Amino acid sequence: MGSVAEPENQEGAIQIDLVQLRTFAAVAEEQHLTRAAERLHISLSAASAHVRAVEERLDTKLFVRANRSLELTRAGQLLLAKAKILLNEAALFTSFAREIRGKIEGHLVVGLSSDPTSSRIGEVIRALRNEHPLITAELRARPSSGTRQGLKTGEVDIGLVLGQPIDAGFAYYELTQIGFRIAGPAEWKEQIESASWAELARLPWLTPNDHSMAYSVMLRQLFDERGLELNSVARFDNAAVGRVLLEAGVGMMLMREEHVNQGLQQGIMAVSPLMHTRVPIFMAHVAGRRNDPLIRAFLDAAGEVWPGLSPTLALPEL
């Protein structure tokens, strides 16, 4: 992408590259240089150079090191808010420039979970390509928390998120609801089916290593609010990995109902009767981009797959 320039004096200008600005925003969100580089699919040295370039060009210190994380200075906090606005405006500007030429073309980055079947994303992309062959799509699998962060920094254009719509700055569209059950190895069937909440908590558990993942939020609601602590014996960052561990007899897991049903049919899982809940899955984008031609094209395609698709108001964050 290009750069934005603001006159400094007659002899020079402060120029900030938008790619470097996006790296700054990602590092600020992650509070960690390596994780930010992984999110942006760039090298650690490149991420470090981008942040250093922004600091040098602004002649402002943006981060301070605290233990193993990077924390924003007060100047960094103020600049981050402006950076997010600028990054989203840059994406909008580019889309409108393409539309002026009479064609909707461009590149959309879509954030989705590692288990995208319920969203019917394949059908949505097919509808998008049929109507707008000049639009290309890049699909990035990440937890809902990562998709939310990517939307805020502009590295993701539109995303699929599991859980309640709590970001007031996003436009949400509910696609469907996904059932969840508590499952475990079939060898523990009698114990699982008769266990109380306290007894369930004491069994070996497989839990997400990201506390902001939708799975983590649901587990806290189920057990923390009952004053119970899970006996976590292994952690995962991908639900498919958790399922492999469960099938190997390692521990219990909160699991999507369709996978539980498959496991029951195969005789490799047992399920607790205490919990059966449904959680919404939403399509989301930054509210300020609702008139972006690329976003509109994607929503039109999603509307073909999910008739009656309409915005949902965000809930207040607890």
Side-chain angles (χ1 to χ4, degrees):
M1 295 183 72
S3 62
V4 292
E6 179 180 337
E8 189 178 34
N9 51 46
Q10 293 293 330
E11 298 180 353
I14 297 175
Q15 293 187 337
I16 303 296
D17 187 285
L18 290 173
V19 173
Q20 296 169 345
L21 199 62
R22 179 168 288 113
T23 303
F24 157 63
V27 174
E29 290 280 353
E30 293 288 347
Q31 295 186 310
H32 198 278
L33 201 59
T34 301
R35 290 198 297 267
E38 291 172 350
R39 267 177 56 179
L40 297 174
H41 304 286
I42 61 176
S43 68
L44 180 61
S45 59
S48 179
H50 289 176
V51 172
R52 186 166 59 252
V54 175
E55 290 186 319
E56 289 175 353
R57 290 175 184 177
L58 294 178
D59 192 23
T60 302
K61 189 172 182 61
L62 301 174
F63 294 97
V64 293
R65 185 169 294 280
N67 296 324
R68 296 185 178 180
S69 65
L70 294 173
E71 294 185 359
L72 285 169
T73 62
R74 178 56 180 162
Q77 292 173 358
L78 295 172
L79 288 168
L80 176 62
K82 297 293 184 182
K84 290 179 178 179
I85 294 172
L86 181 58
L87 289 168
N88 281 306
E89 285 296 325
L92 187 60
F93 176 86
T94 302
S95 292
F96 276 117
R98 289 169 177 142
E99 190 178 37
I100 288 171
R101 298 205 304 266
K103 300 177 181 178
I104 300 179
E105 60 177 289
H107 185 70
L108 269 172
V109 179
V110 183
L112 66 158
S113 74
S114 58
D115 192 354
T117 308
S118 301
S119 66
R120 300 171 67 184
I121 189 64
E123 297 173 59
V124 174
I125 297 299
R126 182 181 62 191
L128 175 70
R129 294 283 302 144
N130 286 343
E131 187 65 27
H132 302 286
L134 297 181
I135 296 178
T136 59
E138 178 181 344
L139 279 65
R140 297 182 183 176
R142 54 178 61 184
S144 295
S145 55
T147 294
R148 287 188 169 96
Q149 290 177 341
L151 288 169
K152 291 176 181 177
T153 61
E155 65 195 87
V156 172
D157 297 300
I158 196 159
L160 304 175
V161 295
L162 187 66
Q164 297 303 319
I166 56 175
D167 297 279
F170 293 171
Y172 285 95
Y173 309 80
E174 183 173 346
L175 301 182
T176 186
Q177 294 197 349
I178 300 172
F180 279 87
R181 304 292 300 270
I182 292 174
E187 293 83 355
W188 307 351
K189 177 179 171 64
E190 184 176 344
Q191 188 176 6
I192 291 171
E193 292 181 349
S194 63
S196 65
W197 284 104
E199 290 167 339
L200 279 178
R202 288 195 292 270
L203 290 172
W205 271 82
L206 313 168
T207 57
N209 57 18
D210 182 349
H211 291 290
S212 59
M213 283 179 66
Y215 286 82
S216 295
V217 174
M218 285 187 280
L219 285 174
R220 287 198 297 272
Q221 292 172 342
L222 290 171
F223 291 94
D224 289 10
E225 294 178 4
R226 289 180 167 88
L228 300 172
E229 182 177 353
L230 285 180
N231 174 28
S232 179
V233 299
R235 298 185 182 277
F236 58 84
D237 62 1
N238 183 300
V241 174
R243 292 199 299 273
V244 170
L245 294 174
L246 184 153
E247 292 171 9
V250 178
M252 305 286 296
M253 182 182 167
L254 184 64
M255 186 181 293
R256 292 192 182 208
E257 188 172 26
E258 64 263 33
H259 297 304
V260 172
N261 291 338
Q262 291 173 4
L264 292 174
Q265 291 173 2
Q266 296 167 3
I268 60 175
M269 290 183 194
V271 63
S272 168
L274 295 183
M275 177 266 195
H276 185 186
T277 189
R278 300 191 68 78
V279 180
I281 184 168
F282 291 92
M283 184 176 295
H285 62 79
V286 173
R289 293 187 64 186
R290 67 176 74 251
N291 292 321
D292 183 324
L294 287 175
I295 298 296
R296 290 206 313 265
F298 191 91
L299 292 177
D300 288 344
E304 292 185 27
V305 178
W306 298 97
L309 193 68
S310 60
T312 301
L313 293 177
L315 300 175
E317 189 167 1
L318 299 178

